Amino acid sequence: MTTKRSTIITIQDAILNPLEPLLLNLGRSGIIPTIIILFVFLLYQFTHHQPKIREKTLKDQPSYTRHKGSCSAVLCNPTNKCSTWTPNHPYDWSDLSKAGLFRDLSTIQLDPGCELKVKIEEKIDEGEWLTISEGFTKCTDSGYGTNCRNFVEMELKANVLALAKKMKKMIKEQANEGREIILTHREKDISLNEKIDVTMISQFSVNRLEIFSKAIGNWQGPISIAIYLTQPTDIDELVRFFKIEQNLKTYSRAIITLVKPNYLDNTRLQYPINHLRNIAITESSTDYIFVMDADFVPSSNLYSFVHSRLIPFVLYQSGKLPPTAWVVPCFAIHEEYDDLPIPESYGELRRLVGKGIAYITDPGAGHGPTLATEVAMIRPFLLGNPLAYEVCYESQWEPYYILHRSAPLYDVRFKNQGGDKQSHALHLNAERYRFMVLREVFMVHKDHPTMVWPGGGFEKSQKAATNWNYFEGFLREIESLYGGNVRWPRGCSSSAIGWQDQRRNTLGIAAGVV
């Protein structure tokens, strides 16, 4: 499934709605013939219900296709009657008999990432288990021999450890050294209805595996992650991590995509953060997505809040709501309080903020516009909406939010740190998205010593003259697509918290200055 992005441009109601009563009054006075009134009215109705579609596409963006993910095994009998078997299901002799395979197996085609053991027996209650290699296997003298035909039982399993072992084998092959390889694992689908569900999306390298386990523990819904193998040796660390049974169990609910870059190209050291986000988004299947970074932990009630309250509200208001980014306030806990548990409720978080233990992440342009401490904590019922309050977009804001999956993808030209989330928020603002900050939910991370980014990290990335940057590159391109006022809030409604209520400099709204 290749993802396409388009913008719907509709003639504003404000242009023609005021004309309707005027034309009707003129018609009653006999000044304009009824036929003209009818023509104009029908023209309005047609243009109102038939929006014009116009493509607005960023340059140099790849196409993304969802991978198959789950492996399988195809088993055939000597008459070439074949059947496909999926992993992690119990199969007994009756299943094999219905497929015409019991004691009559001829060939096996096993996908990478699957582990298959078959039991063969010559006599009743006497059998031998064989491990089948991936690829094509013949149950003949040239394969395992005639014993393979007397097939009575099988165990077909798939997990991320099997996928990691497959990737390790591929990395060792010299022909693969200079190309990107993407392998995806789907162990189970926990979403009962993709239309009313939300997937937590993240990306990281192998040094964040342990940290992200905490996020998985607090999220009860679908998860899709992309893991970047910066160096050939990263796969060894990944295999070691998933050889631990508890780690394998923790990650079993996630769609996991392993991304091996071109190891002959040193630009791989520039961490492709937005490319990885787009991969994880594409591999997800729910209508709503929540993109977050690996060292944050969502509040334990975030998934249930979105699944049982927010999405039903959005669906109930279908056709009435403008495109909306539902912002999740993010906080940090000072490093000296690292031994404290993640707060379970907004009440606990409010107390930590009051004591100076927790604080809003990057309270300037980065996350200040969220107004989490000024509004969500101090005035919880401002404007009367129990779900969320609306704020105006500000330049260089980089919130985390829940979106419908039809929203624009992230610009892959941003790598390492800096501009990667700002650019996406600006793109949404240019598309006239509204920004609503959710109440009662949050995300938190604990301060920790700075972890070294591949390729020199944030500072080196921002100073590199050849790197794609926010102000000279992305901003100019967005202006060429949407006009010169893209940094001014375009999607704010009249009920949004105004700039004076925000107590923030109006210049900052346009230029990101606090």
Side-chain angles (χ1 to χ4, degrees):
M1 181 185 72
T2 300
T3 305
K4 294 181 69 177
R5 293 292 177 261
S6 64
T7 303
I8 307 277
I9 308 298
T10 305
I11 294 179
Q12 297 297 312
D13 291 352
I15 297 175
L16 285 171
N17 276 347
L19 293 178
E20 193 172 339
L22 174 62
L23 292 171
L24 291 174
N25 287 333
L26 291 173
R28 282 192 291 266
S29 65
I31 298 176
I32 299 180
T34 304
I35 188 65
I36 297 179
I37 298 174
L38 182 61
F39 173 76
V40 173
F41 181 75
L42 291 175
L43 177 63
Y44 162 69
Q45 293 296 320
F46 177 78
T47 56
H48 181 73
H49 293 291
Q50 301 293 328
K52 179 182 177 182
I53 299 177
R54 180 174 59 191
E55 297 283 346
K56 290 182 182 286
T57 306
L58 296 176
K59 299 176 182 176
D60 303 322
Q61 305 299 307
S63 296
Y64 290 95
T65 301
R66 185 178 300 168
H67 293 78
K68 176 185 173 184
S70 297
C71 61
S72 61
V74 177
L75 309 182
C76 301
N77 66 17
T79 64
N80 206 32
K81 180 182 179 181
C82 301
S83 52
T84 301
W85 304 77
T86 56
N88 305 325
H89 294 286
Y91 297 116
D92 59 22
W93 70 269
S94 61
D95 299 309
L96 305 179
S97 181
K98 290 176 184 177
L101 295 168
F102 187 71
R103 293 187 178 275
D104 205 16
L105 180 61
S106 176
T107 63
I108 303 170
Q109 180 67 48
L110 183 64
D111 287 345
C114 265
E115 294 180 345
L116 175 62
K117 291 183 178 181
V118 299
K119 185 178 182 181
I120 58 170
E121 62 182 29
E122 291 296 326
K123 299 179 180 178
I124 301 298
D125 297 328
E126 292 183 11
E128 176 187 4
W129 284 95
L130 299 176
T131 299
I132 305 300
S133 301
E134 65 182 56
F136 187 72
T137 297
K138 290 183 178 181
C139 290
T140 62
D141 290 329
S142 60
Y144 273 107
T146 54
N147 281 344
C148 188
R149 184 167 180 174
N150 293 317
F151 169 54
V152 295
E153 193 176 344
M154 73 172 173
E155 291 182 357
L156 181 60
K157 297 180 179 180
N159 55 43
V160 69
L161 178 59
L163 189 76
K165 290 178 179 178
K166 170 60 181 176
M167 178 66 86
K168 183 174 181 177
K169 181 178 179 181
M170 296 179 73
I171 288 175
K172 287 182 177 179
E173 296 175 6
Q174 188 173 0
N176 293 328
E177 189 176 10
R179 68 185 186 98
E180 181 183 68
I181 299 176
I182 298 177
L183 298 180
T184 300
H185 166 72
R186 290 178 175 84
E187 186 160 335
K188 62 180 74 172
D189 186 359
I190 68 169
S191 179
L192 298 178
N193 190 333
E194 295 173 348
K195 297 293 183 183
I196 57 171
D197 215 341
V198 56
T199 299
M200 180 169 68
I201 305 290
S202 196
Q203 42 62 45
F204 46 88
S205 52
V206 293
N207 62 355
R208 292 291 207 278
L209 284 164
E210 190 66 47
I211 292 174
F212 191 71
S213 298
K214 300 174 183 177
I216 295 176
N218 267 22
W219 183 266
Q220 300 80 34
I223 302 167
S224 178
I225 57 177
I227 301 176
Y228 189 62
L229 305 172
T230 310
Q231 307 285 1
T233 54
D234 285 352
I235 192 63
D236 298 320
E237 185 174 344
L238 190 72
V239 169
R240 282 194 297 270
F241 181 84
F242 285 119
K243 279 185 175 179
I244 299 173
E245 189 64 29
Q246 184 55 49
N247 295 338
L248 200 60
K249 182 179 179 181
T250 297
Y251 276 81
S252 65
R253 293 192 296 112
I255 299 170
I256 300 175
T257 303
L258 305 183
V259 181
K260 171 217 165 287
N262 176 0
Y263 287 142
L264 299 178
D265 186 353
N266 283 334
T267 61
R268 76 179 191 280
L269 299 177
Q270 298 174 9
Y271 183 73
I273 186 166
N274 280 350
H275 177 49
L276 298 174
R277 284 175 175 143
N278 291 345
I279 288 174
I281 290 170
T282 302
E283 299 298 345
S284 69
S285 58
T286 60
D287 273 14
Y288 295 88
I289 55 173
F290 169 46
V291 177
M292 60 167 275
D293 289 334
D295 45 5
F296 278 91
V297 177
S299 59
S300 58
N301 67 331
L302 178 54
Y303 173 74
S304 61
F305 180 93
V306 175
H307 184 256
S308 62
R309 295 180 61 186
L310 177 61
I311 295 178
F313 169 77
V314 172
L315 295 177
Y316 179 75
Q317 296 290 327
S318 178
K320 300 178 183 178
L321 292 177
T324 303
W326 301 92
V327 178
V328 180
C330 56
F331 292 82
I333 295 177
H334 288 292
E335 189 176 348
E336 56 265 35
Y337 300 101
D338 183 63
D339 58 330
L340 292 178
I342 296 294
E344 289 292 321
S345 68
Y346 224 116
E348 290 181 27
L349 178 62
R350 188 179 288 113
R351 286 191 291 273
L352 294 180
V353 171
K355 294 179 180 179
I357 296 173
Y359 62 97
I360 187 169
T361 309
D362 189 1
H367 294 284
T370 304
L371 300 178
T373 55
E374 295 91 337
V375 178
M377 291 191 163
I378 308 304
R379 296 179 283 174
F381 299 107
L382 185 70
L383 300 180
N385 188 329
L387 285 176
Y389 57 91
E390 184 178 2
V391 297
C392 291
Y393 169 80
E394 292 193 31
S395 180
Q396 294 180 261
W397 190 22
E398 48 180 11
Y400 297 94
Y401 31 58
I402 291 157
L403 294 168
H404 191 273
R405 67 179 303 111
S406 60
L409 290 174
Y410 288 75
D411 187 342
V412 300
R413 292 168 291 186
F414 287 97
K415 298 182 179 181
N416 285 340
Q417 219 177 4
D420 51 291
K421 295 191 299 293
Q422 295 172 15
S423 58
H424 194 257
L426 177 65
H427 197 171
L428 295 186
N429 181 63
E431 291 272 358
R432 301 186 182 278
Y433 270 68
R434 185 176 59 160
F435 293 88
M436 300 288 293
V437 183
L438 295 173
R439 304 182 187 278
E440 304 178 34
V441 295
F442 54 90
M443 51 196 292
V444 178
H445 83 85
K446 294 183 177 181
D447 288 345
H448 50 72
T450 302
M451 301 182 79
V452 178
W453 284 68
F458 173 80
E459 184 177 358
K460 183 175 180 180
S461 171
Q462 297 308 292
K463 290 181 178 179
T466 58
N467 276 6
W468 179 247
N469 66 62
Y470 179 81
F471 287 106
E472 295 303 321
F474 184 79
L475 179 58
R476 299 294 172 254
E477 185 172 323
I478 288 291
E479 287 176 337
S480 71
L481 291 172
Y482 295 93
N485 61 341
V486 291
R487 286 190 285 177
W488 290 93
R490 290 184 166 196
C492 277
S493 70
S494 59
S495 62
I497 299 176
W499 301 340
Q500 291 182 349
D501 287 333
Q502 287 179 265
R503 299 191 299 281
R504 296 174 63 78
N505 190 316
T506 56
L507 179 61
I509 296 172
V513 179
V514 179

